Amino acid sequence: MMKGFRKQANWVVMTAVICVLAACQPQDDAAKRSAATPAVAPKPPEAKPPEPVKPPPLPPLFRDIERRTFQFFWDTSNELNGMTPDRYPSRPFASIASVGFALTAYPIGVENGWASRTQAVDRTLVTLRFLKDLPQGPQAEGKAGYKGFYYHFLDMQSGQRYASWVELSSVDTTLLMMGVLFAQSYYDRDEPREKEIRELADTLYKRVDWSFMQKNKPLVAMGWFPESGTIPHDWKGYNEAMMLYILALGSPTHPVKPEAWEVWTRTYGESWGVYQGQEYLTFGPHFGHQYSHVWIDFRGIQDAYMRERGIDYFENSRRATYAQRQYAMENPMKWRDYGENVWGLTASDGPQQTLQEYRGEQRQFRHYSARGVGFRENFDDGTIAPTAAIASLPFAPELVIPATEEMHKRYGEYLYSSYGFLDAFNRSFDYEIPLKSGRIVPGEGWVASDYIGIDQGPILTMIANYRNGFVWEVMKKNPYIREGLLKAGFEGGYLTPKEAPIQIPANADPEAAAARALGTAESRAAQAGEQQDNPPRNQVPK
């Protein structure tokens, strides 16, 4: 708008000068010119708003990643009962969270022609029937769950609690139920077997007694042990439990009260602030910015907390992704290879729980652990997990695409295999000590030996969401998810009835609103352009 104003001012000045010069010329010359020159200066061209930034296309590598990652779930799940291993090839036990991702992966395979709908229906029915019939109860042994919740890890064959250290997990049950409800909404044909899928999904979700996990109402506890009772830690602060509260609010049988969301967001506490040049709600390990977004499209919808901040949770995760990458570029701990296209801290495998000397000082390293940076939950031992970057594709494709290609190009020979990227790598760890898992590649550092289901799942699903919003669009049809969002106070976007008129406050300034929207678009365009102008330069331990 300012550019257009300045152009108009220039035209006024030029017109005045022409008129003055014309007065000084002989009349006959002036008459000749008046016949050929319009009396009014032509209207200057209007300034056009910048074109929307188009999402960059995905290179062929991403199709290969998708196919290999889908095959992880298809090949490693037990065909007889649908149990999906927590990790592979070590495959010690099933993870109910991995099962939730597997149930989401099968339709992605159908849509891409990697499995037939009949095959996917078969596998899904086997899984849901098995889950429904598994024994539940308060006993410490011989059970798969209690009050509709499931134990975090189950035996791959029997489906029962794997060991006495395994908890009845509220958040892992949530990940399972997200997959269950996704299946319910995807298999929508008027056909007996697909009807059975929808009925089984309804049964599984409705029997989860969310109030059972509320020792400190209205918050929800992290879990329960038959030996000792409820875990004395509730889901609070900003993290992946957004999806847990949304499912708990949407339950038609055992819901938590709407005040649970208000109290949950009240516990965000000091998580909001500026970190690495981004103002956002922080959480260190990047999975906290990804898991809920696998199934729920947060673009354009806001709860009361985000309305006050003027953004949505999707934009929050975008900023978190930029902060992660900026941290790697600054690399304050001087880890090997960290940079603009080598980044990604989340919960992942690692080399070993040990203290070793690095650059003249003692550094702590871990095996499986949450890694991340922010205002809290800070831990970084040089271990990069590709899922942290790749599963952020919808948030910041301009960062994720070059990072994915770079990691594949530089480390693919030993990091990329049958089912895509192995879980993690650490270029700085080359100590000759016994390892918890993985191996040392001479001259290259430590590399994981396993794929982990809860890291594979976000890679596959978020690439699908980036391509066409597939998982998001299916889940928008699910009435329980919608109900949970509405009870949490989310408004706007696809939650607004199409017939409802847009409400504009009486004191709203349309020009100011347009200017803010234009400023946001220009900011993102500039950020994307910055990437093109500067090409690459070369919480709970398991």
Side-chain angles (χ1 to χ4, degrees), residues 93 250 351 374 406 421 423 471 522:
F93 37 70
E406 184 76 2
F421 283 98
D423 194 58
V471 180
E522 288 177 334

Side-chain angles (χ1 to χ4, degrees), residues 170-238:
S170 57
V171 76
D172 290 280
T173 296
T174 295
L175 287 162
L176 171 62
M177 290 301 153
M178 282 295 196
V180 167
L181 293 182
F182 180 80
Q184 181 184 54
S185 292
Y186 178 76
Y187 301 104
D188 57 359
R189 293 182 180 175
D190 187 16
E191 183 267 325
R193 296 196 312 149
E194 295 201 13
K195 283 184 179 179
E196 185 182 356
I197 287 176
R198 297 194 292 272
E199 292 167 359
L200 286 167
D202 227 41
T203 298
L204 291 169
Y205 174 60
K206 286 180 177 178
R207 78 179 182 186
V208 180
D209 186 353
W210 301 97
S211 62
F212 170 70
M213 287 284 184
Q214 288 190 292
K215 187 173 183 179
N216 301 310
K217 292 184 178 180
L219 297 175
V220 177
M222 291 187 173
W224 176 88
F225 285 95
E227 296 86 357
S228 56
T230 306
I231 294 175
H233 299 289
D234 297 315
W235 286 107
K236 56 186 179 180
Y238 169 72

Side-chain angles (χ1 to χ4, degrees), residues 495-518:
L495 293 177
T496 303
K498 292 182 179 179
E499 65 274 10
I502 298 174
Q503 299 295 325
I504 301 176
N507 61 347
D509 182 347
E511 290 190 5
R516 283 195 297 272
L518 182 60

Side-chain angles (χ1 to χ4, degrees), residues 19 23 27 35 39 74 89 169 178 243 296 330 341 415 443 502 542:
C19 291
Q27 283 297 104
W74 192 259
S169 174
M178 282 295 196
M243 58 184 175
I296 302 174
E330 290 188 7
N341 288 324
L415 183 65
I502 298 174
K542 269 185 194 172

Side-chain angles (χ1 to χ4, degrees), residues 343-354:
W343 53 271
L345 302 176
T346 190
S348 72
D349 268 347
Q352 182 56 284
Q353 188 81 24
T354 182

Side-chain angles (χ1 to χ4, degrees), residues 8-323:
Q8 194 167 14
N10 290 340
W11 275 100
V12 172
V13 173
M14 290 171 63
T15 304
V17 171
I18 291 171
C19 291
V20 170
L21 292 174
C24 298
Q25 298 295 326
Q27 283 297 104
D28 57 344
D29 291 339
K32 290 178 183 177
R33 281 195 304 275
S34 66
T37 306
V40 179
K43 187 178 179 180
E46 294 183 3
K48 294 182 179 180
E51 291 292 326
V53 179
K54 294 182 179 179
L58 290 178
L61 170 62
F62 281 81
R63 180 61 71 191
D64 191 63
I65 293 171
E66 284 177 284
R67 177 62 187 267
R68 290 172 187 256
T69 310
F70 165 77
Q71 289 299 146
F72 166 84
F73 292 102
W74 192 259
D75 293 350
T76 67
S77 296
N78 188 332
E79 294 181 356
L80 300 179
N81 58 24
M83 293 294 97
T84 305
D86 172 63
R87 53 179 58 236
Y88 183 87
S90 58
R91 194 178 178 142
F93 37 70
S95 157
I96 59 169
S98 291
V99 175
F101 279 114
L103 290 169
T104 310
Y106 302 150
I108 294 175
V110 173
E111 296 298 312
N112 285 282
W114 302 327
S116 71
R117 192 176 181 102
T118 299
Q119 289 174 311
V121 167
D122 288 344
R123 183 71 66 89
T124 301
L125 273 176
V126 164
T127 307
L128 299 185
R129 288 169 180 165
F130 187 70
L131 288 168
K132 175 182 174 292
D133 294 338
L134 283 173
Q136 292 227 344
Q139 295 82 6
E141 297 180 358
K143 305 297 179 182
Y146 184 45
K147 297 288 186 178
F149 292 93
Y150 287 85
Y151 286 101
H152 190 167
F153 300 125
L154 304 177
D155 184 274
M156 281 291 294
Q157 278 68 49
S158 71
Q160 296 179 9
R161 184 189 188 194
Y162 182 73
S164 62
W165 52 266
V166 177
E167 84 284 12
L168 195 73
S169 174
S170 57
V171 76
D172 290 280
T173 296
T174 295
L175 287 162
L176 171 62
M177 290 301 153
M178 282 295 196
V180 167
L181 293 182
F182 180 80
Q184 181 184 54
S185 292
Y186 178 76
Y187 301 104
D188 57 359
R189 293 182 180 175
D190 187 16
E191 183 267 325
R193 296 196 312 149
E194 295 201 13
K195 283 184 179 179
E196 185 182 356
I197 287 176
R198 297 194 292 272
E199 292 167 359
L200 286 167
D202 227 41
T203 298
L204 291 169
Y205 174 60
K206 286 180 177 178
R207 78 179 182 186
V208 180
D209 186 353
W210 301 97
S211 62
F212 170 70
M213 287 284 184
Q214 288 190 292
K215 187 173 183 179
N216 301 310
K217 292 184 178 180
L219 297 175
V220 177
M222 291 187 173
W224 176 88
F225 285 95
E227 296 86 357
S228 56
T230 306
I231 294 175
H233 299 289
D234 297 315
W235 286 107
K236 56 186 179 180
Y238 169 72
N239 50 48
E240 74 276 20
M242 280 203 302
M243 58 184 175
L244 181 153
Y245 282 101
I246 289 168
L247 280 191
L249 286 164
S251 172
T253 50
H254 308 287
V256 300
K257 293 183 178 180
E259 65 181 11
W261 189 268
E262 179 188 347
V263 175
W264 148 256
T265 55
R266 200 185 302 159
T267 66
Y268 286 178
E270 298 178 357
S271 296
W272 179 273
V274 177
Y275 180 74
Q276 292 294 340
Q278 301 291 328
E279 185 177 12
Y280 68 109
L281 194 58
T282 69
F283 180 74
H286 217 48
F287 69 83
H289 296 285
Q290 297 172 337
Y291 280 2
S292 297
H293 296 258
V294 164
W295 291 277
I296 302 174
D297 184 359
F298 286 98
R299 295 174 300 176
I301 63 173
Q302 297 171 308
D303 63 352
Y305 185 92
M306 282 302 177
R307 279 194 292 275
E308 290 180 3
R309 299 306 186 276
I311 63 171
D312 54 38
Y313 284 101
F314 183 90
E315 170 65 15
N316 196 78
S317 291
R318 187 188 74 86
R319 296 180 183 186
T321 303
Y322 265 85

